[in-house]
Amino acid sequence: MSKNKETITQSQLDDLTQKGFALHQEGKLNAAETIYLEVLNKQDDHFACLYLLGGLLVQSRRYQQALEYLYKALKIRPDDLGSLINCGVANQELGYLDNALFNYDRAIAIDPYYPGSHYNRGNVLKELGRLDEALQSCNKAIYINPNYASAHFNRGNVLKELGRIEDALQCFAEALRLNPEIDYLLGGFIEAKMALCDWSNIYDLINQLKIKIKKNELATIPFTTLVVTDDLELQKQSAQIYVGIKYPQKNILPPISKYQKNEKIRIGYFSADFREHAVSYLMAELFELHNRNQYEIIAFSYSDSICAQDNLRKRIEKAFDQFIDVREKSDLEITLLARELEIEIAIDLGGHTAGARTNIFSMRAAPIQVSYLGYLGTMGADYYDYLIADSSVIPQDYQQFYSEKIVYLPSYQVNDNKREVSDKKFTKSEFGLPDNGFVFCCFNNTYKITPKTFDSWMRILNAVEGSVLLLLDTNQTATNNLRKEAIAKGVGSDRLIFGKVLPAPEYLARYHLADLFLDTFPYNAGTTASDALRMGLPVLTQTGKSFSSRIAASLLSAVGITDLISTSTESYELLAIELGRNPERLKRIRSRLVSYLPTTHLYNTKLFTQNIELAYQKMYDRYRNDLKPDHLYIDK
């Protein structure tokens, strides 16, 4: 024991610690922390107090401070299970995944039958992309405690990542049976059901989800909210709940002092998707076209290492002034690196999607922080200064539903004019399509297909004799469920044709076989819609209020085909039926689309680059002039 700073007995210190612990259990964390610090001021190696204060700080999400005390506790008792597990949690939340894994492995070596260690280890391995090992850890936790609801939930998340969605759904169902109040569980269950087109009780579940969000419960990740509702207020609330708990603004670093003005503005693009992914399919040429006389662009990539081998990744690496692989760095280390490089504008291309690392932005990686492309909604966090959009996806009347200031480009979505299209001349028979029947298509992910959208499609097929619907074959369960639903709506299952996932060039060429793309609602087609339009295929959409329900309308506006934007289910169905029955009208629309393509803003990447750079310049000028972020309008 170190020398006491004041005359006080060990018994008195222990009693004081017990008093702090009692307050801790009552949820009076500030009072408990004051007492713990008082004890440690008198005896800095009081193990119980170090352990309890470390745990309190983990509970308060002050992870960096927590590690300071927990490491001191472990120096006294290296084999203390509780300290090891709390260290693991703190390291994991800070992005020190290798350290967290070491903590959990050590905890398992001490007590191999404590299920929490295996559960936490599985979470870390999942984040590291070591999914098979993560599954083994989840299985071990459940073997030790079959009623461990959170372990069933996490096992489901791992199985979903492995593409075993049917098995994942069973895990989510079991977790719901054991403990329906687990954070994110209800949303995960709904998302899995949507991916499988298992719509049993789906609207009751969605209503439950909406009620939980309105009660400020952490029932789902924000992305799922975009899929199930068009309610802007609910979408914003869902995002705010999520970031408030998971990614609150962290003030562990000092404010960024204004950087000395450099010859070039330094822009950092942050993403887990610098690979064969929709985000990179759209953005690759932008990276290549940036004006290097005015801008220095740096990639911060946290893609899985296997992605480094794909061709798109190799192309993107060459496009940047610096391409930095930061996947093995902690969030804090990445933030410090961005500051060291004096990144002035940080662009988050992930948002609330898989692989995103929002903590980097919560610690303020750059004086100007921007959300773009990856997430089609508000981040719900004050530390994002801007959201890049256009007047179609976010009308000015809807600005109140976004925590960011809106940057209005003439057209929101960037595109890559170097996309390779296969020169194969596909025949309809190769894909099981009729030679003469009208071909509707939709290559959106199955989770975007709601029962209401599918009902519309079936009414359209019933009204257009001999027509078929070409969909993407993502999983056999979804295929089977959709065929059953078609039969229930009086449509032969053979009128649903499922196309396999193809390499990107062949996938684009396949659009030549379709006559009309039918969009989903409330989550529209994004990349798939611009792909269809690029190939000269008209897209019919229904637009709503949310960003994600207005994407296709933005794309259609950019190519000048606004007559394919409907504002109701009824008008959507009537127009689809009219075009299916009136090939001459559709032919005129298609001809107009093809004639517009060479001059449209949507595929003019050089013009888009100039516009977004003008936006960056305006953001930067406001920053240099000590002006707060404000809505920006680019009219070029």
Side-chain angles (χ1 to χ4, degrees), residues 259-268 290-298 319-322 341-345 367-368 613 616-617 620-621 623-624:
Y259 296 137
Q260 182 177 349
K261 191 169 184 178
N262 296 301
E263 182 182 345
K264 300 177 183 180
I265 299 173
R266 292 191 180 126
I267 299 176
H290 266 308
N291 184 343
R292 294 308 202 273
N293 293 322
Q294 291 182 279
Y295 300 94
E296 181 179 352
I297 63 168
I298 300 172
F320 281 92
D321 296 303
Q322 292 186 63
L341 293 171
E342 296 189 355
I343 299 298
E344 290 155 309
I345 305 176
I368 304 167
E613 287 180 347
Y616 291 159
Q617 185 67 53
Y620 180 75
D621 289 344
Y623 160 65
R624 296 304 310 181

mmCIF file of all heavy atoms in Angstrom, residues 259-268 290-298 319-322 341-345 367-368 613 616-617 620-621 623-624:
data_model
loop_
_atom_site.group_PDB
_atom_site.id
_atom_site.type_symbol
_atom_site.label_atom_id
_atom_site.label_comp_id
_atom_site.label_asym_id
_atom_site.label_seq_id
_atom_site.Cartn_x
_atom_site.Cartn_y
_atom_site.Cartn_z
ATOM 1 N N TYR A 259 -6.178 25.939 -38.725
ATOM 2 C CA TYR A 259 -4.954 25.590 -39.432
ATOM 3 C C TYR A 259 -4.442 26.781 -40.240
ATOM 4 O O TYR A 259 -5.230 27.599 -40.733
ATOM 5 C CB TYR A 259 -5.193 24.410 -40.379
ATOM 6 C CG TYR A 259 -5.562 23.117 -39.691
ATOM 7 C CD1 TYR A 259 -6.586 22.305 -40.191
ATOM 8 C CD2 TYR A 259 -4.901 22.690 -38.546
ATOM 9 C CE1 TYR A 259 -6.939 21.116 -39.573
ATOM 10 C CE2 TYR A 259 -5.239 21.493 -37.910
ATOM 11 C CZ TYR A 259 -6.270 20.710 -38.428
ATOM 12 O OH TYR A 259 -6.595 19.543 -37.810
ATOM 13 N N GLN A 260 -3.133 26.829 -40.367
ATOM 14 C CA GLN A 260 -2.546 27.835 -41.245
ATOM 15 C C GLN A 260 -3.035 27.580 -42.671
ATOM 16 O O GLN A 260 -3.131 26.440 -43.115
ATOM 17 C CB GLN A 260 -1.015 27.741 -41.189
ATOM 18 C CG GLN A 260 -0.306 28.777 -42.030
ATOM 19 C CD GLN A 260 1.212 28.687 -41.893
ATOM 20 O OE1 GLN A 260 1.711 27.985 -41.016
ATOM 21 N NE2 GLN A 260 1.926 29.391 -42.751
ATOM 22 N N LYS A 261 -3.356 28.634 -43.380
ATOM 23 C CA LYS A 261 -3.888 28.477 -44.731
ATOM 24 C C LYS A 261 -2.827 27.863 -45.636
ATOM 25 O O LYS A 261 -1.707 28.369 -45.753
ATOM 26 C CB LYS A 261 -4.347 29.823 -45.286
ATOM 27 C CG LYS A 261 -5.158 29.698 -46.567
ATOM 28 C CD LYS A 261 -5.828 31.009 -46.937
ATOM 29 C CE LYS A 261 -6.721 30.834 -48.161
ATOM 30 N NZ LYS A 261 -7.423 32.087 -48.522
ATOM 31 N N ASN A 262 -3.188 26.754 -46.262
ATOM 32 C CA ASN A 262 -2.263 26.046 -47.140
ATOM 33 C C ASN A 262 -2.525 26.402 -48.599
ATOM 34 O O ASN A 262 -3.566 26.976 -48.945
ATOM 35 C CB ASN A 262 -2.408 24.534 -46.952
ATOM 36 C CG ASN A 262 -2.019 24.089 -45.558
ATOM 37 O OD1 ASN A 262 -0.895 24.309 -45.115
ATOM 38 N ND2 ASN A 262 -2.963 23.474 -44.849
ATOM 39 N N GLU A 263 -1.592 26.010 -49.436
ATOM 40 C CA GLU A 263 -1.744 26.251 -50.871
ATOM 41 C C GLU A 263 -2.947 25.501 -51.426
ATOM 42 O O GLU A 263 -3.654 25.978 -52.310
ATOM 43 C CB GLU A 263 -0.470 25.824 -51.603
ATOM 44 C CG GLU A 263 -0.495 26.074 -53.093
ATOM 45 C CD GLU A 263 0.770 25.595 -53.800
ATOM 46 O OE1 GLU A 263 1.773 25.327 -53.113
ATOM 47 O OE2 GLU A 263 0.733 25.478 -55.035
ATOM 48 N N LYS A 264 -3.212 24.294 -50.867
ATOM 49 C CA LYS A 264 -4.331 23.466 -51.312
ATOM 50 C C LYS A 264 -5.224 23.136 -50.120
ATOM 51 O O LYS A 264 -4.740 22.964 -49.003
ATOM 52 C CB LYS A 264 -3.833 22.163 -51.941
ATOM 53 C CG LYS A 264 -2.931 22.348 -53.150
ATOM 54 C CD LYS A 264 -2.435 21.002 -53.649
ATOM 55 C CE LYS A 264 -1.457 21.164 -54.819
ATOM 56 N NZ LYS A 264 -0.963 19.858 -55.307
ATOM 57 N N ILE A 265 -6.526 23.032 -50.387
ATOM 58 C CA ILE A 265 -7.466 22.585 -49.355
ATOM 59 C C ILE A 265 -7.329 21.078 -49.211
ATOM 60 O O ILE A 265 -7.366 20.348 -50.209
ATOM 61 C CB ILE A 265 -8.908 22.972 -49.726
ATOM 62 C CG1 ILE A 265 -9.031 24.486 -49.834
ATOM 63 C CG2 ILE A 265 -9.894 22.426 -48.698
ATOM 64 C CD1 ILE A 265 -10.376 24.960 -50.371
ATOM 65 N N ARG A 266 -7.168 20.621 -47.989
ATOM 66 C CA ARG A 266 -6.972 19.183 -47.746
ATOM 67 C C ARG A 266 -8.305 18.529 -47.401
ATOM 68 O O ARG A 266 -8.949 18.869 -46.407
ATOM 69 C CB ARG A 266 -5.969 18.967 -46.612
ATOM 70 C CG ARG A 266 -4.560 19.395 -46.994
ATOM 71 C CD ARG A 266 -3.539 18.929 -45.986
ATOM 72 N NE ARG A 266 -2.212 19.364 -46.391
ATOM 73 C CZ ARG A 266 -1.376 20.060 -45.629
ATOM 74 N NH1 ARG A 266 -1.739 20.405 -44.405
ATOM 75 N NH2 ARG A 266 -0.174 20.407 -46.073
ATOM 76 N N ILE A 267 -8.689 17.588 -48.255
ATOM 77 C CA ILE A 267 -9.962 16.886 -48.101
ATOM 78 C C ILE A 267 -9.692 15.424 -47.782
ATOM 79 O O ILE A 267 -8.910 14.756 -48.468
ATOM 80 C CB ILE A 267 -10.809 16.993 -49.383
ATOM 81 C CG1 ILE A 267 -11.130 18.460 -49.685
ATOM 82 C CG2 ILE A 267 -12.092 16.170 -49.259
ATOM 83 C CD1 ILE A 267 -11.873 18.669 -50.980
ATOM 84 N N GLY A 268 -10.344 14.925 -46.740
ATOM 85 C CA GLY A 268 -10.237 13.511 -46.384
ATOM 86 C C GLY A 268 -11.541 12.798 -46.659
ATOM 87 O O GLY A 268 -12.612 13.240 -46.226
ATOM 88 N N HIS A 290 -10.663 15.361 -59.374
ATOM 89 C CA HIS A 290 -10.456 16.501 -58.478
ATOM 90 C C HIS A 290 -9.306 17.383 -58.969
ATOM 91 O O HIS A 290 -8.268 16.878 -59.428
ATOM 92 C CB HIS A 290 -10.155 16.012 -57.060
ATOM 93 C CG HIS A 290 -11.369 15.917 -56.192
ATOM 94 N ND1 HIS A 290 -12.261 16.955 -56.028
ATOM 95 C CD2 HIS A 290 -11.839 14.903 -55.417
ATOM 96 C CE1 HIS A 290 -13.225 16.584 -55.192
ATOM 97 N NE2 HIS A 290 -12.997 15.345 -54.819
ATOM 98 N N ASN A 291 -9.491 18.676 -58.859
ATOM 99 C CA ASN A 291 -8.494 19.659 -59.294
ATOM 100 C C ASN A 291 -7.312 19.642 -58.327
ATOM 101 O O ASN A 291 -7.401 20.160 -57.212
ATOM 102 C CB ASN A 291 -9.119 21.048 -59.342
ATOM 103 C CG ASN A 291 -8.173 22.104 -59.887
ATOM 104 O OD1 ASN A 291 -6.965 21.906 -59.944
ATOM 105 N ND2 ASN A 291 -8.735 23.229 -60.288
ATOM 106 N N ARG A 292 -6.202 19.063 -58.785
ATOM 107 C CA ARG A 292 -5.058 18.914 -57.899
ATOM 108 C C ARG A 292 -4.299 20.218 -57.663
ATOM 109 O O ARG A 292 -3.413 20.282 -56.817
ATOM 110 C CB ARG A 292 -4.095 17.856 -58.453
ATOM 111 C CG ARG A 292 -4.661 16.436 -58.466
ATOM 112 C CD ARG A 292 -5.198 16.073 -57.062
ATOM 113 N NE ARG A 292 -5.265 14.650 -56.860
ATOM 114 C CZ ARG A 292 -6.292 13.877 -57.196
ATOM 115 N NH1 ARG A 292 -7.350 14.414 -57.774
ATOM 116 N NH2 ARG A 292 -6.268 12.576 -56.972
ATOM 117 N N ASN A 293 -4.640 21.254 -58.408
ATOM 118 C CA ASN A 293 -4.035 22.561 -58.149
ATOM 119 C C ASN A 293 -4.673 23.240 -56.936
ATOM 120 O O ASN A 293 -4.048 24.091 -56.311
ATOM 121 C CB ASN A 293 -4.181 23.473 -59.371
ATOM 122 C CG ASN A 293 -3.376 22.977 -60.557
ATOM 123 O OD1 ASN A 293 -2.267 22.471 -60.397
ATOM 124 N ND2 ASN A 293 -3.941 23.099 -61.752
ATOM 125 N N GLN A 294 -5.908 22.820 -56.630
ATOM 126 C CA GLN A 294 -6.627 23.453 -55.523
ATOM 127 C C GLN A 294 -6.863 22.531 -54.338
ATOM 128 O O GLN A 294 -7.024 22.990 -53.213
ATOM 129 C CB GLN A 294 -7.989 23.969 -56.010
ATOM 130 C CG GLN A 294 -7.909 25.138 -56.961
ATOM 131 C CD GLN A 294 -9.297 25.612 -57.350
ATOM 132 O OE1 GLN A 294 -9.943 25.046 -58.228
ATOM 133 N NE2 GLN A 294 -9.769 26.666 -56.691
ATOM 134 N N TYR A 295 -6.868 21.215 -54.613
ATOM 135 C CA TYR A 295 -7.240 20.269 -53.570
ATOM 136 C C TYR A 295 -6.222 19.140 -53.451
ATOM 137 O O TYR A 295 -5.722 18.636 -54.464
ATOM 138 C CB TYR A 295 -8.622 19.665 -53.855
ATOM 139 C CG TYR A 295 -9.710 20.693 -53.924
ATOM 140 C CD1 TYR A 295 -10.096 21.253 -55.144
ATOM 141 C CD2 TYR A 295 -10.332 21.147 -52.771
ATOM 142 C CE1 TYR A 295 -11.074 22.228 -55.213
ATOM 143 C CE2 TYR A 295 -11.326 22.118 -52.825
ATOM 144 C CZ TYR A 295 -11.681 22.658 -54.049
ATOM 145 O OH TYR A 295 -12.652 23.632 -54.103
ATOM 146 N N GLU A 296 -5.952 18.771 -52.222
ATOM 147 C CA GLU A 296 -5.199 17.546 -51.947
ATOM 148 C C GLU A 296 -6.179 16.575 -51.326
ATOM 149 O O GLU A 296 -6.834 16.895 -50.321
ATOM 150 C CB GLU A 296 -4.054 17.836 -50.974
ATOM 151 C CG GLU A 296 -3.204 16.612 -50.650
ATOM 152 C CD GLU A 296 -2.065 16.918 -49.704
ATOM 153 O OE1 GLU A 296 -1.832 18.114 -49.409
ATOM 154 O OE2 GLU A 296 -1.412 15.964 -49.248
ATOM 155 N N ILE A 297 -6.344 15.398 -51.938
ATOM 156 C CA ILE A 297 -7.350 14.458 -51.438
ATOM 157 C C ILE A 297 -6.663 13.219 -50.854
ATOM 158 O O ILE A 297 -5.744 12.661 -51.445
ATOM 159 C CB ILE A 297 -8.393 14.083 -52.512
ATOM 160 C CG1 ILE A 297 -7.764 13.354 -53.695
ATOM 161 C CG2 ILE A 297 -9.144 15.318 -52.966
ATOM 162 C CD1 ILE A 297 -8.801 12.729 -54.593
ATOM 163 N N ILE A 298 -7.149 12.838 -49.689
ATOM 164 C CA ILE A 298 -6.556 11.745 -48.921
ATOM 165 C C ILE A 298 -7.657 10.774 -48.530
ATOM 166 O O ILE A 298 -8.706 11.174 -48.010
ATOM 167 C CB ILE A 298 -5.840 12.283 -47.673
ATOM 168 C CG1 ILE A 298 -4.727 13.249 -48.080
ATOM 169 C CG2 ILE A 298 -5.266 11.141 -46.837
ATOM 170 C CD1 ILE A 298 -4.090 13.992 -46.928
ATOM 171 N N ALA A 319 -6.074 6.990 -57.525
ATOM 172 C CA ALA A 319 -6.729 8.281 -57.731
ATOM 173 C C ALA A 319 -6.405 9.296 -56.634
ATOM 174 O O ALA A 319 -6.526 10.497 -56.848
ATOM 175 C CB ALA A 319 -8.243 8.088 -57.817
ATOM 176 N N PHE A 320 -5.991 8.822 -55.459
ATOM 177 C CA PHE A 320 -5.776 9.717 -54.327
ATOM 178 C C PHE A 320 -4.325 10.184 -54.252
ATOM 179 O O PHE A 320 -3.401 9.478 -54.667
ATOM 180 C CB PHE A 320 -6.152 9.005 -53.019
ATOM 181 C CG PHE A 320 -7.631 8.970 -52.758
ATOM 182 C CD1 PHE A 320 -8.405 7.900 -53.172
ATOM 183 C CD2 PHE A 320 -8.261 10.010 -52.090
ATOM 184 C CE1 PHE A 320 -9.766 7.852 -52.937
ATOM 185 C CE2 PHE A 320 -9.621 9.987 -51.846
ATOM 186 C CZ PHE A 320 -10.373 8.904 -52.273
ATOM 187 N N ASP A 321 -4.140 11.359 -53.659
ATOM 188 C CA ASP A 321 -2.780 11.823 -53.367
ATOM 189 C C ASP A 321 -2.142 10.935 -52.299
ATOM 190 O O ASP A 321 -0.957 10.634 -52.361
ATOM 191 C CB ASP A 321 -2.814 13.278 -52.899
ATOM 192 C CG ASP A 321 -3.306 14.215 -53.993
ATOM 193 O OD1 ASP A 321 -2.695 14.221 -55.074
ATOM 194 O OD2 ASP A 321 -4.313 14.901 -53.778
ATOM 195 N N GLN A 322 -2.950 10.540 -51.332
ATOM 196 C CA GLN A 322 -2.528 9.549 -50.341
ATOM 197 C C GLN A 322 -3.696 8.596 -50.098
ATOM 198 O O GLN A 322 -4.834 9.054 -49.920
ATOM 199 C CB GLN A 322 -2.148 10.199 -49.015
ATOM 200 C CG GLN A 322 -0.914 11.049 -49.025
ATOM 201 C CD GLN A 322 -0.568 11.514 -47.617
ATOM 202 O OE1 GLN A 322 -0.265 10.729 -46.723
ATOM 203 N NE2 GLN A 322 -0.619 12.833 -47.427
ATOM 204 N N LEU A 341 -2.445 15.432 -40.193
ATOM 205 C CA LEU A 341 -2.365 15.757 -41.612
ATOM 206 C C LEU A 341 -3.087 17.059 -41.952
ATOM 207 O O LEU A 341 -3.106 17.476 -43.112
ATOM 208 C CB LEU A 341 -2.953 14.614 -42.449
ATOM 209 C CG LEU A 341 -2.169 13.297 -42.411
ATOM 210 C CD1 LEU A 341 -2.955 12.182 -43.089
ATOM 211 C CD2 LEU A 341 -0.815 13.469 -43.086
ATOM 212 N N GLU A 342 -3.707 17.669 -40.941
ATOM 213 C CA GLU A 342 -4.438 18.925 -41.099
ATOM 214 C C GLU A 342 -5.517 18.831 -42.180
ATOM 215 O O GLU A 342 -5.644 19.687 -43.069
ATOM 216 C CB GLU A 342 -3.480 20.089 -41.382
ATOM 217 C CG GLU A 342 -2.543 20.360 -40.215
ATOM 218 C CD GLU A 342 -1.727 21.635 -40.371
ATOM 219 O OE1 GLU A 342 -1.825 22.284 -41.443
ATOM 220 O OE2 GLU A 342 -1.003 21.986 -39.428
ATOM 221 N N ILE A 343 -6.304 17.724 -42.083
ATOM 222 C CA ILE A 343 -7.475 17.598 -42.953
ATOM 223 C C ILE A 343 -8.446 18.716 -42.599
ATOM 224 O O ILE A 343 -8.832 18.884 -41.444
ATOM 225 C CB ILE A 343 -8.141 16.219 -42.768
ATOM 226 C CG1 ILE A 343 -7.179 15.095 -43.147
ATOM 227 C CG2 ILE A 343 -9.436 16.139 -43.573
ATOM 228 C CD1 ILE A 343 -6.735 15.095 -44.582
ATOM 229 N N GLU A 344 -8.849 19.484 -43.592
ATOM 230 C CA GLU A 344 -9.733 20.621 -43.333
ATOM 231 C C GLU A 344 -11.201 20.273 -43.556
ATOM 232 O O GLU A 344 -12.083 20.811 -42.889
ATOM 233 C CB GLU A 344 -9.306 21.793 -44.222
ATOM 234 C CG GLU A 344 -7.966 22.367 -43.765
ATOM 235 C CD GLU A 344 -7.201 23.072 -44.876
ATOM 236 O OE1 GLU A 344 -7.019 22.480 -45.962
ATOM 237 O OE2 GLU A 344 -6.783 24.219 -44.652
ATOM 238 N N ILE A 345 -11.463 19.378 -44.493
ATOM 239 C CA ILE A 345 -12.832 18.921 -44.755
ATOM 240 C C ILE A 345 -12.831 17.387 -44.726
ATOM 241 O O ILE A 345 -12.148 16.755 -45.531
ATOM 242 C CB ILE A 345 -13.357 19.426 -46.114
ATOM 243 C CG1 ILE A 345 -13.260 20.947 -46.207
ATOM 244 C CG2 ILE A 345 -14.798 18.974 -46.330
ATOM 245 C CD1 ILE A 345 -13.679 21.516 -47.564
ATOM 246 N N PRO A 367 -12.055 20.379 -38.926
ATOM 247 C CA PRO A 367 -12.915 21.514 -38.558
ATOM 248 C C PRO A 367 -14.231 21.549 -39.333
ATOM 249 O O PRO A 367 -15.216 22.114 -38.863
ATOM 250 C CB PRO A 367 -12.045 22.734 -38.879
ATOM 251 C CG PRO A 367 -10.966 22.246 -39.783
ATOM 252 C CD PRO A 367 -10.746 20.818 -39.436
ATOM 253 N N ILE A 368 -14.254 20.943 -40.527
ATOM 254 C CA ILE A 368 -15.489 20.862 -41.328
ATOM 255 C C ILE A 368 -15.778 19.387 -41.568
ATOM 256 O O ILE A 368 -14.935 18.657 -42.102
ATOM 257 C CB ILE A 368 -15.329 21.583 -42.680
ATOM 258 C CG1 ILE A 368 -14.895 23.038 -42.482
ATOM 259 C CG2 ILE A 368 -16.620 21.506 -43.491
ATOM 260 C CD1 ILE A 368 -14.421 23.712 -43.746
ATOM 261 N N GLU A 613 -16.721 20.800 -55.803
ATOM 262 C CA GLU A 613 -15.554 21.568 -55.381
ATOM 263 C C GLU A 613 -15.941 23.003 -55.035
ATOM 264 O O GLU A 613 -15.383 23.595 -54.091
ATOM 265 C CB GLU A 613 -14.484 21.560 -56.480
ATOM 266 C CG GLU A 613 -13.770 20.217 -56.598
ATOM 267 C CD GLU A 613 -12.707 20.183 -57.675
ATOM 268 O OE1 GLU A 613 -12.666 21.117 -58.510
ATOM 269 O OE2 GLU A 613 -11.922 19.228 -57.692
ATOM 270 N N TYR A 616 -17.247 22.720 -51.603
ATOM 271 C CA TYR A 616 -16.137 22.619 -50.653
ATOM 272 C C TYR A 616 -15.504 23.991 -50.417
ATOM 273 O O TYR A 616 -15.155 24.343 -49.285
ATOM 274 C CB TYR A 616 -15.079 21.648 -51.175
ATOM 275 C CG TYR A 616 -15.489 20.190 -51.208
ATOM 276 C CD1 TYR A 616 -14.824 19.286 -52.039
ATOM 277 C CD2 TYR A 616 -16.528 19.704 -50.422
ATOM 278 C CE1 TYR A 616 -15.172 17.946 -52.080
ATOM 279 C CE2 TYR A 616 -16.899 18.373 -50.463
ATOM 280 C CZ TYR A 616 -16.221 17.488 -51.306
ATOM 281 O OH TYR A 616 -16.568 16.155 -51.347
ATOM 282 N N GLN A 617 -15.345 24.758 -51.491
ATOM 283 C CA GLN A 617 -14.733 26.081 -51.377
ATOM 284 C C GLN A 617 -15.591 26.989 -50.506
ATOM 285 O O GLN A 617 -15.080 27.748 -49.663
ATOM 286 C CB GLN A 617 -14.544 26.695 -52.764
ATOM 287 C CG GLN A 617 -13.795 28.021 -52.769
ATOM 288 C CD GLN A 617 -12.346 27.885 -52.358
ATOM 289 O OE1 GLN A 617 -11.602 27.085 -52.919
ATOM 290 N NE2 GLN A 617 -11.928 28.659 -51.351
ATOM 291 N N TYR A 620 -15.234 26.009 -46.937
ATOM 292 C CA TYR A 620 -13.908 26.403 -46.473
ATOM 293 C C TYR A 620 -13.847 27.920 -46.226
ATOM 294 O O TYR A 620 -13.287 28.370 -45.218
ATOM 295 C CB TYR A 620 -12.864 25.991 -47.517
ATOM 296 C CG TYR A 620 -11.435 26.333 -47.158
ATOM 297 C CD1 TYR A 620 -10.748 25.584 -46.198
ATOM 298 C CD2 TYR A 620 -10.784 27.390 -47.779
ATOM 299 C CE1 TYR A 620 -9.434 25.893 -45.873
ATOM 300 C CE2 TYR A 620 -9.474 27.703 -47.453
ATOM 301 C CZ TYR A 620 -8.802 26.960 -46.504
ATOM 302 O OH TYR A 620 -7.498 27.264 -46.177
ATOM 303 N N ASP A 621 -14.421 28.702 -47.119
ATOM 304 C CA ASP A 621 -14.405 30.153 -46.968
ATOM 305 C C ASP A 621 -15.143 30.575 -45.700
ATOM 306 O O ASP A 621 -14.695 31.492 -44.981
ATOM 307 C CB ASP A 621 -15.036 30.828 -48.188
ATOM 308 C CG ASP A 621 -14.162 30.721 -49.435
ATOM 309 O OD1 ASP A 621 -12.965 30.403 -49.293
ATOM 310 O OD2 ASP A 621 -14.692 30.932 -50.548
ATOM 311 N N TYR A 623 -15.447 28.819 -43.017
ATOM 312 C CA TYR A 623 -14.564 28.415 -41.916
ATOM 313 C C TYR A 623 -13.433 29.426 -41.733
ATOM 314 O O TYR A 623 -13.147 29.865 -40.609
ATOM 315 C CB TYR A 623 -14.015 27.013 -42.211
ATOM 316 C CG TYR A 623 -12.763 26.630 -41.458
ATOM 317 C CD1 TYR A 623 -12.760 26.487 -40.075
ATOM 318 C CD2 TYR A 623 -11.569 26.391 -42.159
ATOM 319 C CE1 TYR A 623 -11.603 26.122 -39.396
ATOM 320 C CE2 TYR A 623 -10.418 26.023 -41.490
ATOM 321 C CZ TYR A 623 -10.438 25.893 -40.104
ATOM 322 O OH TYR A 623 -9.297 25.528 -39.445
ATOM 323 N N ARG A 624 -12.784 29.836 -42.842
ATOM 324 C CA ARG A 624 -11.666 30.779 -42.752
ATOM 325 C C ARG A 624 -12.135 32.140 -42.227
ATOM 326 O O ARG A 624 -11.374 32.862 -41.570
ATOM 327 C CB ARG A 624 -11.012 30.982 -44.120
ATOM 328 C CG ARG A 624 -10.357 29.782 -44.756
ATOM 329 C CD ARG A 624 -9.299 29.104 -43.943
ATOM 330 N NE ARG A 624 -8.276 29.982 -43.396
ATOM 331 C CZ ARG A 624 -7.253 29.555 -42.663
ATOM 332 N NH1 ARG A 624 -7.137 28.260 -42.380
ATOM 333 N NH2 ARG A 624 -6.362 30.394 -42.188
#
